[in-house]
Amino acid sequence: MEDNNPPTPTKPRVVICVGDIHGYIEKLQNLWSNLQSCIEPSDFETALNIFLGDYCDRGPNTSKVALIIFLGDYCDRGPNTSKVLDFFIDLPSKYPKQSHVFLCGNHDFAFAAFLGVLPSLPDGTEFCGTWKEYEMNEEREGWYKGKGFENMHLQGRRWAGNHSVKFNAVKGIDYKGSIYDDAPTFESYGVPHGSAASCRGKAKYNTPLWRDPSPYPAHSRSLVDRVAPF
């Protein structure tokens, strides 16, 4: 028997994956502009944007037609980490009809660890308990030993460290500070590399975006939202 009411064709979903912004604000802005040009305006305005670490969104908004997935690692290497985080923080006010989910990559996790805004470990272990397995690398990687290091997560100490080997033979370029190439992130906030107190005091916004509002009040909640799933 012929079906006189065939199902309405489902509009194909546009899925775009973007990884490793790494502090390059101009490239991010150019990319965003290109997405606006390539995606149908009505789809772009209501897109679900997933700023993703290591896994895909399983939330209630996956029926959105346009799906823009950012794969984490917003900080380090490039010169404008602060502006990159500003860009993402400003998205909800600039695109109120879009949905945004902010998660993180390993660089973002390590940055948050240095700032002291990671949630407690599920098993109750102190953060200093994460050092032991990798302590043979401490001298070579020049782990951070400044203010607040005593109970800092391993990745925070590695992130803010000063690598004793200046040349990265794997990539054929010099390290930028630590194994995470974090020096440009400090520079983007206008503070010296590895400077905990002055670095944590720099902020452009009054609204606290981290669980601990004292360090980087503008960006801390932003990173907390990203690291929460880890």
Side-chain angles (χ1 to χ4, degrees), residues 82-110:
S82 177
K83 291 182 179 179
V84 166
L85 292 180
D86 287 344
F87 180 94
F88 291 130
I89 289 170
D90 290 343
L91 281 182
S93 60
K94 290 183 176 180
Y95 301 91
K97 294 182 180 180
Q98 291 182 347
S99 298
H100 306 96
V101 180
F102 300 95
L103 303 180
C104 80
N106 64 316
H107 284 254
D108 315 311
F109 181 91

Side-chain angles (χ1 to χ4, degrees), residues 112-188:
F114 171 70
L115 293 171
V117 297
L118 293 183
S120 300
L121 296 176
D123 63 0
T125 301
E126 295 288 335
F127 287 134
C128 58
T130 62
W131 303 353
K132 186 170 181 59
E133 185 177 355
Y134 301 95
E135 59 189 2
M136 75 290 293
N137 299 323
E138 180 174 0
E139 183 176 352
R140 179 175 59 86
E141 294 181 351
W143 294 0
Y144 174 77
K145 294 182 179 180
K147 183 177 180 180
F149 89 95
E150 291 85 358
N151 193 33
M152 184 177 289
H153 191 284
L154 164 71
Q155 300 305 333
R157 294 194 63 197
R158 295 179 77 217
W159 183 82
N162 196 352
H163 208 291
S164 63
V165 178
K166 302 307 180 185
F167 185 72
N168 185 335
V170 174
K171 295 181 179 179
I173 57 176
D174 289 339
Y175 284 108
K176 297 178 180 179
S178 73
I179 194 170
Y180 279 99
D181 294 322
D182 67 322
T185 296
F186 284 92
E187 292 170 5
S188 77

Side-chain angles (χ1 to χ4, degrees), residues 46-68:
T46 59
L48 170 63
N49 296 275
I50 305 178
F51 300 84
L52 195 66
D54 295 321
Y55 47 88
C56 292
D57 177 77
R58 297 176 183 174
N61 297 314
T62 53
S63 62
K64 299 277 187 176
V65 173
L67 185 63
I68 305 171

Side-chain angles (χ1 to χ4, degrees), residues 18-22 51-53 70-74 103-106 108:
V18 182
D20 296 53
I21 301 299
H22 279 306
F51 300 84
L52 195 66
F70 282 77
L71 300 171
D73 284 355
Y74 314 104
L103 303 180
C104 80
N106 64 316
D108 315 311

Side-chain angles (χ1 to χ4, degrees), residues 12-48:
R13 174 184 287 177
V14 177
V15 180
I16 299 170
C17 299
V18 182
D20 296 53
I21 301 299
H22 279 306
Y24 289 101
I25 185 61
E26 291 184 1
K27 292 182 178 180
L28 174 59
Q29 291 169 333
N30 290 338
L31 170 65
W32 194 257
S33 178
N34 289 338
L35 292 177
Q36 285 181 296
S37 300
C38 295
I39 299 175
E40 186 174 315
S42 61
D43 293 340
F44 185 82
E45 287 299 319
T46 59
L48 170 63

Side-chain angles (χ1 to χ4, degrees), residues 115-117 200-203 205-221 224:
L115 293 171
V117 297
R200 293 178 180 186
K202 292 287 183 177
Y205 297 91
N206 293 323
T207 303
L209 294 177
W210 303 57
R211 289 178 182 169
D212 176 359
S214 58
Y216 295 99
H219 296 154
S220 54
R221 175 63 182 277
V224 164

